Amino acid sequence: ELGFADAQVLLALNLESGVGCVKDEKEAVEWYQKAATTSKTPDAIYLLGRCILDGRGTPKDPPGALGKFHVGAEQDDARAMLQLGMCCQFGIGQERDVTAAFGWFLKAAELGSPEGMLNAGLCYSE
């Protein structure tokens, strides 16, 4: 409640999974949103985007999730870049665009992400 983003994210993770408390995905989303708004922490932005993408604790909204992942990608969050790549590759929340997917995977790989390296390599094999 004092605005410490790391604590807000940890509370949200526990609420989302039900570890040490009653599972409450809706309240988890509220805490992710608070942390994402007050500090712009990549963890909160990414995890909020995942909830929005999957419809956990909030209505499912793939285009809205893409917006969160773009914000994370602007902060060099490789996880957000991977999610953008997957959404481009499979047409989730947008039209399918394998060229854009490859670009996001490559950016994540350049940040040292093993998943980014794997997915970029798989794009080459297609």
Side-chain angles (χ1 to χ4, degrees):
E1 294 177 0
L2 297 176
F4 296 112
D6 290 342
Q8 292 171 334
V9 170
L10 288 174
L11 176 59
L13 283 167
N14 288 343
L15 287 164
E16 186 179 356
S17 63
V19 173
C21 59
V22 175
K23 185 174 181 173
D24 188 339
E25 293 176 337
K26 184 176 180 182
E27 189 175 353
V29 168
E30 292 171 10
W31 283 108
Y32 287 140
Q33 184 65 52
K34 285 179 187 179
T37 301
T38 59
S39 73
K40 310 277 190 257
T41 177
D43 286 336
I45 294 166
Y46 170 76
L47 293 166
L48 178 59
R50 287 298 316 230
C51 288
I52 294 169
L53 181 67
D54 298 335
R56 286 192 319 267
T58 188
K60 188 174 185 173
D61 179 15
L66 289 174
K68 299 298 181 195
F69 297 142
H70 276 285
V71 170
E74 290 170 5
Q75 296 181 7
D76 289 334
D77 185 349
R79 298 168 303 175
M81 292 174 186
L82 286 168
Q83 285 300 313
L84 286 169
M86 295 299 238
C87 290
C88 289
Q89 185 176 20
F90 297 107
I92 299 169
Q94 63 182 32
E95 288 192 34
R96 188 169 189 264
D97 184 345
V98 293
T99 302
F102 174 73
W104 286 117
F105 294 145
L106 193 58
K107 286 181 181 189
E110 289 169 351
L111 291 174
S113 166
E115 294 90 351
M117 293 174 200
L118 173 66
N119 284 304
L122 290 173
C123 286
Y124 273 120
S125 69
E126 292 180 4

